[in-house]
Amino acid sequence: AYHHTTDPALIIKWVKEGKIENQFYYVSYGDEIGLPAVDVKDAAKVQAFHEYLKAAGETPQSLGLSGWEQVKPLATFAGEVAVQIGVLPKEKEKDVGSLAGLKRLYWHSQRFASLQGIDSFAQKTREIRAALGNEVHTSANLGGMHPFYWMHQAAFIESFKRKAMPLAWSEDYTYCMPEGSRLVADFETAYLRKGASYHDTPMQFYCMPHWPGITPEALLQNAVLEWGQNVKDLDFFCAPPDTWSTENYI
């Protein structure tokens, strides 16, 4: 395995030069990440956003704006961000009415970002598999959304449904809530399982011994719950006496 890169050329070169085609299993696009964001400074991405909106029947006016030059992907529903990227003028940064008028733009921005992120990973996956074979998997540790009470559907379900990555991966990073951790780990794994169900995607999971929230008993219960959700590959991350990872030991 290779952790972490989003550069297909780099991983293809690394595998071929190392002559490990027969042993190589997967490359990770990142650790504790979601889907890639949309760069509003990229004119091609902004134009693609406009085309997406037109296909959805939207106009600048229906989005609360006067012209296409103002229409840009809004990553955060905040006046400061809208001003920074040129959606709103500075004098309307704190105007509640102006910001409320951008709700439709924000909704489309989130959906477009999800679709673009999925397409980006899917294209990289196709490129890597074309060079190294379909036995090679791509993945990403979808573990950056703490606390784990609400997983992003785009990352945990839609990305696997749309073949962005053929290996599902996350972690039960929930030690701060000892009584909730087992329930949350099971819920999180169930979310991932739904995404994996569309194409019988294999799943791997960090089953973490975070002290003091995860006791030895809870660690074993988490493992059984994750196995019950059809996770075939568990990684206990770090379960020795404390050396450097102070929260990861029993």
Side-chain angles (χ1 to χ4, degrees):
Y2 187 100
H3 295 188
H4 309 275
T5 182
T6 55
D7 183 352
L10 184 151
I11 195 60
I12 292 167
K13 181 175 183 289
W14 184 79
V15 170
K16 289 188 172 182
E17 287 186 351
K19 301 185 186 302
I20 56 172
E21 290 93 334
N22 293 333
Q23 292 82 38
F24 190 67
Y25 180 43
Y26 76 89
V27 56
S28 168
Y29 290 144
D31 182 42
E32 298 185 353
I33 65 171
L35 295 169
V38 176
D39 184 1
V40 296
K41 296 180 181 179
D42 185 333
K45 291 292 186 183
V46 173
Q47 182 59 39
F49 183 50
H50 291 174
E51 296 304 319
Y52 156 83
L53 290 169
K54 290 174 184 177
E58 299 289 1
T59 65
Q61 290 71 35
S62 70
L63 298 169
L65 300 169
S66 59
W68 284 109
E69 68 280 358
Q70 289 179 273
V71 179
K72 297 177 183 178
L74 187 61
T76 304
F77 192 63
E80 181 182 0
V81 174
V83 169
Q84 287 175 353
I85 65 175
V87 170
L88 288 179
K90 179 65 176 176
E91 59 270 18
K92 292 189 176 182
E93 178 178 337
K94 299 185 184 301
D95 182 69
V96 176
S98 296
L99 186 60
L102 299 180
K103 289 181 179 179
R104 197 176 186 88
L105 174 66
Y106 177 68
W107 186 90
H108 277 297
S109 297
Q110 296 304 299
R111 185 168 187 273
F112 177 76
S114 295
L115 294 173
Q116 288 287 295
I118 290 170
D119 288 346
S120 174
F121 278 169
Q123 176 57 39
K124 294 178 191 298
T125 295
R126 289 192 293 268
E127 187 175 342
I128 290 169
R129 284 192 152 184
L132 301 178
N134 288 334
E135 295 76 19
V136 171
H137 292 62
T138 61
S139 189
N141 181 9
L142 303 174
M145 292 71 73
H146 305 318
F148 280 128
Y149 300 108
W150 184 261
M151 281 67 76
H152 296 301
Q153 180 173 329
F156 277 75
I157 296 179
E158 296 298 325
S159 62
F160 300 107
K161 181 180 181 180
R162 296 172 179 268
K163 299 182 178 181
M165 299 167 286
L167 175 61
W169 178 19
S170 191
E171 61 187 16
D172 58 0
Y173 211 123
T174 54
Y175 70 99
C176 294
M177 295 288 184
E179 291 305 317
S181 294
R182 283 155 285 175
L183 297 175
V184 173
D186 189 36
F187 177 56
E188 179 191 7
T189 316
Y191 231 69
L192 198 65
R193 183 185 186 184
K194 178 57 182 176
S197 69
Y198 293 98
H199 306 290
D200 196 24
T201 302
M203 293 181 287
Q204 62 185 24
F205 226 82
Y206 276 141
C207 185
M208 295 188 174
H210 290 300
W211 183 267
I214 300 298
T215 63
E217 178 186 30
L219 179 68
L220 291 176
Q221 290 173 343
N222 277 352
V224 171
L225 289 168
E226 288 154 13
W227 281 324
Q229 293 289 0
N230 206 35
V231 174
K232 299 293 180 61
D233 188 358
L234 286 187
D235 186 333
F236 289 96
F237 192 63
C238 183
D242 178 28
T243 54
W244 58 274
S245 49
T246 55
E247 87 281 23
N248 293 318
Y249 75 97
I250 292 175

